[in-house]
Amino acid sequence: MCGIIGAVAQRNVVPILLEGLKRLEYRGYDSAGLAVVADGRLTRVRKPGRVAELEAEIKTRQTQGRLGIAHTRWATHGAPNERNAHPHVSEDSLAVVHNGIIENHDELRRRLSGLGYAFTSETDTEVIVHLIHHYYQREKDLLGATRKAIGELKGAYAIGVISADVPHKLICAREGSPLLIGVGIEEHFIASDISALLPVTQKVVYLEEGDVAEIGLFDFKVFDRHGNPAVRPVHTSELSAERSELGGYRHFMQKEIFEQPRALAETLEAALNYGRLEPKLFGEAAPSVFQEIDSVTIIACGTSFHAALVARYWLESIAGMPCNAEVASEYRYRDSVPNPRALIVTISQSGETADTLAALKHAKTLGHLHSLSICNVPESALVRESSLRFLTRAGPEIGVASTKAFTTQLAALFLLALTLGKLRGRIDEMGERAHLEALRHLPAMVNQILLLEPQIELWAERMAFKQHALFLGRGLHYPIAMEGALKLKEISYIHAEAYPAGELKHGPLALVDADMPVVAIAPNDALLEKLKSNLQEVRARGGELYVLADQDSQIQAQEDAHLITLPEHAGLLSPILHTVPLQMLAYHAALQKGTDVDKPRNLAKSVTVE
């Protein structure tokens, strides 16, 4: 959620830190700050609000330094104001930035107060900087002091530490929160994720749980949780700075909606190049693992959970395999019945979602033997924790409201269902060719959907200033209704709910009136006639309908029933197509209301704490 960047170089690092913070804005935050060392002095600048306000203050002060750390904070302990913003300092000489939550901060605060430390914030982070300072005063060894301090912390953390006494050293450590080292030429960096470092390096080292690192101009040293020297490989990231630029679009969300044809094509490229459904797409061990499993449990959060719900339909109807979809934060805290022959599938855009990672570890402790991650970030913790993996090729997704990550997740899950269906003898050679041809045509179909934007803008103008909205879907499209409602509430702040259309008369119908727009997904499938009956129930109560239908659905536009017709019916792939206009509807409703589309209030892109 929060973002960290740090640098040690032979040049002024302030521009690097500020650019890194801007690239971390998508994670969600409400204050920002940095600290640098220059001429034996520590200088700190913090501001509530956006990075732009911090940048203006830094320009006024002409702040410079060759060693520094910076942070965007998403408030947990304490209000989003300047005194709670990071970095936090101790005795004006040592500074810390921190992602995560320290569970025993109250106990440490009492102890450090007894030692004479004065606390100026409400944060849990401030105990870290005073604790490190306490040990540093004894040993004058910043690495050793940091290692002693983190030995007393309970909870999750990624930290960066600098001291005015050590002008060319940066210390960092992680436990339960992501952190990586960026490798340059006579300069090194740290960051929460690679996007912050793309302007300066694509070479990164991913720290393992419990690692501590000492980083200098010319080298870095990593130590494991036991204090032993550790070798962590240097990866060259596939991402590029250009992919993270806004280009000619008004917002990243808009850009990412329109990138979906490309993202889907690149995600499906390997499978389509094979020309057949190949288990090895999911990892070298997949052929043997897929023969051993008898069911699937999918674990995810938020938008990724909606992808899991769609996949449940696909896996059971295509592969004939029992499937359960679980909310990660619930799964890890309930008593479940483990099945060692189940495949545990975890889904995450970032691969660093704390609840999903913890749920995967929980599943392993229960005796689950097989795990597959579907993720957009190749080097992420979730990918490293899983025995099998499928990488979506969405590229960087900056907007908080997920768009292209969701549709590429759906594409990956459809491939999984097809592959398991083939292995179980439910898809013959002709069916395999037909499914692959449909996938090959999918990006072109999405391109056609994007041409509907002017019609969707008109819908958004009518809906933007309503207080509530109801989304209806049946079967495969009920999770898509859930996703449409989530998108609308995330960025326009309109309260929206989704229901299976057949449940309308079991409660939600009481809410329907002329001020409650009802958005319905109406593909031409086996449930269409039943859905039409549900729509008549809405009209009979004076409700106003907004219907997304297929060409051959035989639904007519009327004064109280607005209609957008999709160019093609995509069969089992229909959920992917119907998702796109709902994304555009949310985007244009938010534009009408003037909300912050890419950085909606109270939300974070990468939820790395519980």
Side-chain angles (χ1 to χ4, degrees):
M1 296 174 80
C2 307
I4 286 174
I5 183 168
V8 53
Q10 299 194 66
R11 54 175 165 158
N12 179 24
V13 300
V14 170
I16 298 170
L17 299 180
L18 286 171
E19 179 61 28
L21 290 183
K22 291 174 186 176
R23 290 171 179 269
L24 291 171
E25 286 187 292
Y26 76 93
R27 295 171 71 93
Y29 73 107
D30 39 48
S31 62
L34 62 72
V36 293
V37 172
D39 302 321
R41 294 177 59 248
L42 183 75
T43 301
R44 175 177 60 164
V45 184
R46 301 178 295 172
K47 294 289 285 187
R50 296 304 186 195
V51 172
E53 297 169 58
L54 175 70
E55 184 175 29
E57 182 70 16
I58 285 168
K59 285 180 179 177
T60 300
R61 299 192 192 186
Q62 298 184 322
T63 306
Q64 295 190 27
R66 297 184 179 186
L67 169 70
I69 50 178
H71 189 269
T72 52
R73 175 179 184 255
W74 192 85
T76 52
H77 295 74
N81 54 33
E82 183 172 338
R83 70 190 182 94
N84 288 326
H86 296 216
H88 289 285
V89 302
S90 188
E91 304 301 320
D92 294 324
S93 64
L94 193 147
V96 164
V97 288
H98 164 229
N99 289 353
I101 292 178
I102 304 305
E103 295 170 2
N104 60 333
H105 69 98
D106 282 335
E107 170 193 334
L108 292 170
R109 181 180 286 252
R110 287 192 296 271
R111 178 181 149 208
L112 289 162
S113 295
L115 292 171
Y117 286 97
F119 285 81
T120 60
S121 78
E122 303 165 78
T123 68
D124 55 336
T125 300
E126 198 174 358
V127 302
I128 303 174
V129 69
H130 291 320
L131 192 58
I132 295 173
H133 184 271
H134 169 66
Y135 286 119
Y136 183 65
Q137 288 296 100
R138 291 183 180 183
E139 303 183 10
K140 295 300 179 184
D141 173 9
L142 193 57
L143 174 65
T146 302
R147 286 175 55 189
K148 282 194 173 180
I150 64 175
E152 298 185 27
L153 303 180
K154 295 178 183 177
Y157 57 81
I159 60 170
V161 187
I162 60 172
S163 170
D165 297 340
V166 192
H168 301 298
K169 291 290 181 185
L170 170 60
I171 308 298
C172 66
R174 68 153 296 196
E175 181 74 57
S177 195
L179 196 66
L180 55 88
I181 298 170
V183 180
I185 299 172
E186 297 187 2
E187 57 186 16
H188 289 89
F189 315 92
I190 63 170
S192 304
D193 74 49
I194 182 62
S195 63
L197 299 182
L198 290 175
V200 288
T201 186
Q202 287 179 277
K203 293 183 176 180
V204 294
V205 173
Y206 290 89
L207 296 178
E208 304 273 334
E209 294 280 25
D211 280 356
V212 183
E214 182 181 60
I215 300 166
L217 287 169
F218 306 105
D219 62 3
F220 61 89
K221 299 172 185 175
V222 180
F223 303 88
D224 65 20
R225 67 170 68 254
H226 306 294
N228 301 314
V231 177
R232 306 290 183 230
V234 177
H235 300 269
T236 300
S237 176
E238 299 175 9
L239 303 178
S240 65
E242 291 74 23
R243 280 280 182 96
S244 301
E245 301 291 347
L246 187 57
Y249 291 93
R250 189 168 174 182
H251 298 93
F252 279 107
M253 183 178 179
Q254 183 188 33
K255 175 179 184 253
E256 288 153 11
I257 289 171
F258 278 82
E259 285 178 336
Q260 287 176 112
R262 188 271 310 159
L264 286 164
E266 292 185 9
T267 296
L268 295 167
E269 182 179 17
L272 297 177
N273 285 346
Y274 269 123
R276 64 184 186 277
L277 298 167
E278 177 56 63
K280 284 190 177 181
L281 286 168
F282 299 90
E284 286 300 314
S288 60
V289 169
F290 287 176
Q291 293 291 348
E292 294 175 17
I293 61 173
D294 63 5
S295 61
V296 178
T297 295
I298 310 178
I299 302 171
C301 300
T303 285
S304 295
F305 176 66
H306 297 157
L309 291 173
V310 175
R312 182 176 64 184
Y313 285 93
W314 282 336
L315 283 158
E316 296 195 343
S317 64
I318 297 172
M321 183 166 280
C323 180
N324 189 30
E326 298 269 3
V327 175
S329 57
E330 293 294 317
Y331 171 78
R332 58 186 288 209
Y333 291 117
R334 73 174 182 84
D335 293 329
S336 57
V337 180
N339 173 13
R341 294 190 63 193
L343 176 66
I344 300 295
V345 179
T346 52
I347 313 173
S348 169
Q349 187 281 138
S350 68
E352 304 290 351
T353 307
D355 284 316
T356 307
L357 274 165
L360 175 57
K361 292 174 184 177
H362 175 65
K364 289 180 177 180
T365 66
L366 294 178
H368 287 284
L369 304 175
H370 309 300
S371 58
L372 163 68
S373 70
I374 293 175
C375 184
N376 191 38
V377 181
E379 308 91 347
S380 62
L382 193 67
V383 170
R384 298 198 304 270
E385 286 280 341
S386 303
S387 51
L388 305 177
R389 72 283 317 266
F390 186 97
L391 297 174
T392 57
R393 302 289 176 178
E397 189 179 63
I398 307 302
V400 166
S402 180
T403 52
K404 62 180 179 173
F406 177 65
T407 49
T408 54
Q409 286 168 359
L410 289 175
L413 290 161
F414 190 71
L415 275 177
L416 177 64
L418 293 180
T419 303
L420 292 174
K422 179 183 175 181
L423 291 175
R424 292 166 68 85
R426 294 172 63 93
I427 297 177
D428 59 18
E429 188 175 335
M430 184 180 298
E432 180 179 18
R433 285 200 302 270
H435 283 303
L436 289 175
E437 187 54 38
L439 286 170
R440 197 181 305 277
H441 186 49
L442 181 61
M445 287 195 285
V446 173
N447 261 325
Q448 291 297 309
I449 300 291
L450 294 171
L451 297 176
L452 299 172
E453 187 175 28
Q455 296 176 58
I456 293 164
E457 284 187 68
L458 295 176
W459 277 19
E461 289 173 8
R462 296 179 66 95
M463 291 179 59
F465 297 96
K466 300 291 186 180
Q467 298 298 310
H468 309 278
L470 189 62
F471 285 69
L472 301 177
R474 297 203 71 150
L476 268 173
H477 296 82
Y478 167 47
I480 301 307
M482 296 172 71
E483 176 62 12
L486 176 61
K487 286 291 154 285
L488 189 67
K489 73 180 79 169
E490 278 182 313
I491 62 169
S492 74
Y493 315 144
I494 297 169
H495 171 246
E497 288 189 70
Y499 269 86
E503 286 289 290
L504 193 59
K505 62 177 68 69
H506 295 282
L509 202 56
L511 297 172
V512 172
D513 61 19
D515 292 321
M516 169 76 86
V518 178
V519 180
I521 304 168
N524 188 16
D525 59 16
L527 293 170
L528 179 60
E529 292 306 317
K530 293 187 179 297
L531 179 66
K532 288 179 180 179
S533 297
N534 302 137
L535 301 186
Q536 290 304 321
E537 292 169 353
V538 172
R539 295 186 65 207
R541 274 76 182 178
E544 189 168 17
L545 284 166
Y546 295 80
V547 184
L548 289 169
D550 291 336
Q551 269 189 337
D552 46 3
S553 63
Q554 305 302 312
I555 296 175
Q556 302 297 319
Q558 300 184 45
E559 187 177 347
D560 57 356
H562 311 286
L563 180 70
I564 291 178
T565 303
L566 274 60
E568 296 184 59
H569 176 51
L572 288 170
L573 289 171
S574 176
I576 297 176
L577 295 191
H578 278 86
T579 293
V580 179
L582 296 178
Q583 295 169 346
M584 290 193 286
L585 178 62
Y587 173 73
H588 284 288
L591 280 189
Q592 290 289 324
K593 294 191 70 175
T595 61
D596 192 337
V597 172
D598 288 333
K599 297 183 283 291
R601 66 188 183 202
N602 304 332
L603 298 181
K605 180 68 176 177
S606 217
V607 185
T608 56
V609 296
E610 224 184 309

